[in-house]
Amino acid sequence: YTSWHRVIIAADDRIFPPENMAKAWEHTPRTSKIAGGHLPQWQKILESEIINKKAVGEKFESSASTYDENAIVQNRIAATLWKLWRENMTSQPCSILEIGAGTGMLTREYAPVLTDADITTWDLTNAIRPLPTGKAVTGDAEELVYDALPDSFDTIVSASTFQWFNSLPMFLNNASRIMRRGGILAFSTFGHDNMKELSAITGSSLRYFSKQELCDMIPEGFEICEALEERITMYFNSPRDILVHLRDTGVNGVYTPSNNLARIMHEYPRHDEGCPLTYHPIYIIARKK
């Protein structure tokens, strides 16, 4: 079962009894049941389980000019990740791979300090570039990792990117291959409560993992130095302002399909402080033994 990371069982399957399927796949970390029989709604499953990387790249490319001004939480996350990484750093890294560098929000935290390191950045789009330092590669990290040579980097970092991966466990295993012993893996992603207000209305959400699930994905041969999570709530004047915020940070494609717009405007929760939008960042720092 090591090559399977997600199992979906049809609750009313009369060909393969759900109870037998659950027992057969009990060792797979992520197993869930859905309504339906032996032939469920495949298109809906594919849309919820497979990330459209082309669409993701286009969304972030279109928001490049507005991202830094509006990605207030992502900036805070990048600063927190750099703080945790720095606190667990035992020596200056010689080579750094940053995944999902985007506009350089995390890069700007560490590059002025780690001036002797060779920096390589991977990002889906070539329209977004971080600082003019190191080597920038355009492409899908889940594919690029296969071509990287063993022991290429002593540090791999990523802020607010891994939630867009189709198979994070497989990527982390591949990342282990290209890391040197003693190297640091430092990343942030998001947990189940991320943008919970929107997903409660639309029923649409990325496939988020819990802190424990992320820790369980860390490959053998690593020790986990830090595993932290927090919830950050922003307040907006109206649901419309939230949709503009999502557009300007490049994530509106997941949460605001056109047929949900009216529901969002009507059903979105309103508090005395305004309309809330929750972010649920999770930070993992691990060292390869």
Side-chain angles (χ1 to χ4, degrees):
Y1 304 121
T2 55
S3 62
W4 300 99
H5 306 295
R6 187 78 167 96
V7 173
I8 301 172
I9 299 171
D12 300 315
D13 194 328
R14 297 185 181 182
I15 306 299
F16 301 122
E19 297 78 11
N20 293 0
M21 294 293 289
K23 184 174 182 180
W25 296 99
E26 61 184 351
H27 298 296
T28 303
R30 290 180 62 91
T31 301
S32 64
K33 286 187 177 182
I34 61 171
H38 187 64
L39 294 176
Q41 298 181 35
W42 291 112
Q43 187 60 39
K44 185 175 181 180
I45 291 174
L46 290 173
E47 289 174 354
S48 64
E49 294 295 325
I50 305 298
I51 301 295
N52 184 338
K53 298 289 186 72
K54 183 176 183 293
V56 171
E58 290 173 349
K59 290 292 184 183
F60 281 105
E61 183 174 335
S62 66
S63 68
S65 62
T66 57
Y67 184 81
D68 285 354
E69 181 181 353
N70 292 277
I72 299 169
V73 171
Q74 288 84 347
N75 189 47
R76 170 174 162 177
I77 291 169
T80 300
L81 181 63
W82 165 231
K83 175 179 179 292
L84 295 172
W85 168 20
R86 185 175 67 246
E87 289 174 349
N88 287 279
M89 195 183 299
T90 57
S91 61
Q92 293 268 328
C94 296
S95 57
I96 299 171
L97 170 63
E98 183 182 348
I99 297 164
T103 60
M105 198 165 273
L106 176 60
T107 321
R108 287 190 292 271
E109 294 284 342
Y110 68 81
V113 179
L114 306 178
T115 54
D116 293 332
D118 292 326
I119 299 173
T120 300
T121 60
W122 291 353
D123 201 275
L124 278 174
T125 173
N126 60 12
I128 305 174
R129 280 288 178 253
L131 301 180
T133 181
K135 178 183 179 183
V137 178
T138 300
D140 184 346
E142 290 188 272
E143 298 176 2
L144 292 171
V145 70
Y146 286 103
D147 296 325
L149 296 175
D151 303 319
S152 298
F153 304 99
D154 51 30
T155 302
I156 296 180
V157 297
S158 180
S160 305
T161 297
F162 284 171
Q163 67 274 8
W164 301 107
F165 281 25
N166 282 315
S167 180
L168 183 54
M170 185 175 294
F171 173 80
L172 293 176
N173 281 325
N174 288 324
S176 173
R177 178 185 62 84
I178 66 174
M179 285 187 65
R180 299 170 187 149
R181 292 182 62 180
I184 290 285
L185 170 67
F187 68 89
S188 69
T189 185
F190 295 99
H192 296 301
D193 283 345
N194 202 57
M195 300 190 181
K196 61 182 181 180
E197 298 86 359
L198 278 167
S199 60
I201 298 171
T202 67
S204 299
S205 175
L206 293 176
R207 293 172 294 115
Y208 296 118
F209 298 101
S210 68
K211 182 178 71 173
Q212 186 58 55
E213 286 175 321
L214 291 168
C215 288
D216 291 343
M217 291 180 197
I218 301 301
E220 291 185 14
F222 280 77
E223 61 173 338
I224 297 176
C225 306
E226 302 275 2
L228 305 174
E229 63 184 322
E230 61 178 333
R231 289 165 177 81
I232 305 168
T233 302
M234 296 181 68
Y235 288 94
F236 297 82
N237 291 329
S238 69
R240 185 177 301 278
D241 289 337
I242 290 176
L243 299 183
V244 171
H245 168 76
L246 296 179
R247 181 199 65 195
D248 290 343
T249 52
V251 299
N252 54 316
V254 174
Y255 295 99
T256 57
S258 58
N259 60 335
N260 282 315
L261 291 177
R263 290 188 59 198
I264 292 172
M265 300 300 292
H266 178 69
E267 299 178 21
Y268 204 92
R270 291 165 171 80
H271 300 166
D272 291 341
E273 303 94 328
C275 296
L277 182 65
T278 300
Y279 285 90
H280 181 191
I282 301 175
Y283 309 89
I284 304 290
I285 312 293
R287 179 178 288 106
K288 187 173 181 180
K289 300 177 184 178

